[in-house]
């Protein structure tokens, strides 16, 4: 029995010995060494995304949505340049404005702007782009300050900043009635702009106790507006005519409505006549009136723009400049990173910019103080300054 126990003990020792050895190819054995583990350095962080904006804790992220490609690219670039001017002129350090091109799709531009964390959108430029931009912005509680002049897109979170033709028509009609006008006629192009101008004329004239007695519509070409003007002159029965179109067609139509030097009918126009020097070279338009935003500060802005960018700005470019001034005003009571409450835009005191004061009502419509200008021989004259009160 002793021999058996001895054999079992020897077998156990052999097993323990084998348990402490590693088998190496070739049948040799080597003892296992408990070497310290090697600590590898952590992998380097991934490179930053070139398209991602850095984190902002002290600046407001603002998106500027304008066309930088396509048919309106020059207008969009002019607005973008003006917004850059405003940042430089004010030395603003609490705004980060990023520009997104709507030329290839306004909806895509808005989705990128929202994903980048922008809390206010300046733009878009045209009415048809408002709906796709709003579809991306509203779920993120991001209001729009659109450069469109169409009040039909105004909503509780869409504020219309453009120069609204309805307000221009109402202002000049009120002035004309004060000068003795009682019966109105109109030349208006077919389409949305003409429809809006005629509605505004009817509302303003009725509110003033006067009458609209006739209107003629036309296609926007030379032959059509001349024929419409001839029909209107032949009909007669009015003392004032609204030409709801730009300078070129207005200058063509006016001589068909009255002879140079003839007192009546008085001719009135819209905000489209602002800074259109061609009108001052048309004798039949001498004494005509139109209403527009004050122009004095624009001349200084335009000179500065030319010195910086080497070309004349579009008249609408002031909206880009003023939108930055307005945003800086909002930033006084707006914490970076927090949503902008739309009601902050409806301050009763309004906001002051290059184009004068603007006040937004709760429905999103921007109301402006307009001046009335008269066309003279080679120059415009302000005959009724813009109101300065609230």
């Amino acid at each position: 029995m002793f021999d058996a126990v001895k054999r079992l003990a020897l077998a156990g020792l052999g097993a323990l010995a084998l348990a402490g050895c590693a088998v190496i190819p070739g049948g040799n054995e080597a003892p296992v060494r408990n070497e310290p583990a090697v600590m590898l350095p952590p992998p380097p962080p991934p490179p930053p995304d070139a398209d991602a904006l850095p984190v902002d804790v002290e600046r407001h992220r603002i998106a500027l949505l304008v066309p930088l490609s396509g048919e309106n690219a020059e207008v969009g670039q002019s607005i973008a340049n003006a917004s850059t001017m405003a940042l430089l002129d004010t030395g603003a350090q609490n705004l980060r404005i990023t520009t997104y091109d709507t030329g290839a799709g306004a909806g895509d531009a808005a989705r990128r702007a929202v994903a980048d964390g922008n809390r206010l959108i300046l733009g878009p430029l045209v009415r048809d782009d408002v709906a796709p931009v709003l579809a991306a912005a509203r779920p993120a509680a991001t209001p729009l300050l659109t450069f469109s002049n169409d009040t039909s897109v105004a909503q509780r979170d869409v504020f219309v900043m453009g120069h609204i033709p309805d307000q221009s028509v109402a202002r000049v009609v009120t002035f004309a009635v004060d000068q003795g006008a009682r019966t109105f006629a109109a030349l208006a192009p077919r389409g949305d702009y003409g429809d809006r101008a005629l509605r505004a004329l009817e509302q303003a004239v009725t509110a003033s106790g006067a009458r609209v007695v006739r209107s003629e519509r036309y296609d926007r070409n030379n032959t059509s507006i001349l024929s419409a003007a001839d029909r209107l002159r032949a009909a007669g029965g009015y003392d004032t005519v609204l030409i709801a179109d730009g300078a070129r067609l207005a200058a063509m139509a006016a001589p068909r409505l009255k002879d140079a030097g003839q007192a009546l009918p008085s001719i009135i126009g819209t905000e489209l006549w602002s800074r259109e020097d061609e009108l001052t070279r048309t004798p039949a338009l001498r004494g005509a009136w139109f209403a527009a935003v004050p122009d004095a500060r624009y001349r200084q802005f335009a000179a500065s723009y030319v010195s910086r960018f080497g070309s004349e700005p579009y008249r609408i470019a002031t909206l880009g400049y003023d939108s930055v001034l307005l945003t800086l005003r909002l930033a006084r009571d707006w914490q970076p990173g927090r949503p902008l409450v739309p009601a902050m835009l409806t301050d009763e005191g309004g906001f002051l910019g290059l184009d004068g004061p603007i006040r937004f009502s709760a429905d999103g419509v921007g109301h402006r103080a307009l001046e009335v200008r008269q066309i003279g021989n080679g120059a415009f004259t302000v005959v009724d300054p813009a109101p300065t009160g609230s």
Side-chain angles (χ1 to χ4, degrees), residues 78-109:
S78 191
I79 293 173
N81 290 345
S83 68
T84 299
M85 282 180 60
L87 290 174
L88 295 173
D89 291 347
T90 59
Q93 299 296 318
N94 58 344
L95 302 182
R96 177 192 290 278
I97 298 183
T98 307
T99 304
Y100 300 82
D101 180 15
T102 60
D108 289 341

Side-chain angles (χ1 to χ4, degrees), residues 41 52-53 61 67 80 96 116 135 140 177 181 208 210 213 232 237 303 328 369:
L53 292 178
R61 284 189 176 176
R96 177 192 290 278
D116 286 343
V177 170
S208 298
V213 297
L232 199 59
L328 283 171

Side-chain angles (χ1 to χ4, degrees), residues 164-179 184 197 200-201 203-205 207-208 242 268-271 289-294 368-373 382-388:
I164 298 171
D166 313 43
Q167 295 175 12
S168 172
V169 171
R171 175 77 167 94
V172 74
V173 164
T174 300
F175 177 81
V177 170
D178 289 344
Q179 309 313 305
F184 288 78
L201 175 68
Q203 292 171 1
V205 167
S208 298
L242 168 68
I268 58 177
T270 74
E271 85 294 343
W289 302 309
F290 67 96
V293 295
R368 293 184 177 275
L370 306 180
E371 65 185 18
V372 177
R373 295 180 214 151
V382 175
V383 291
D384 194 18
T388 57

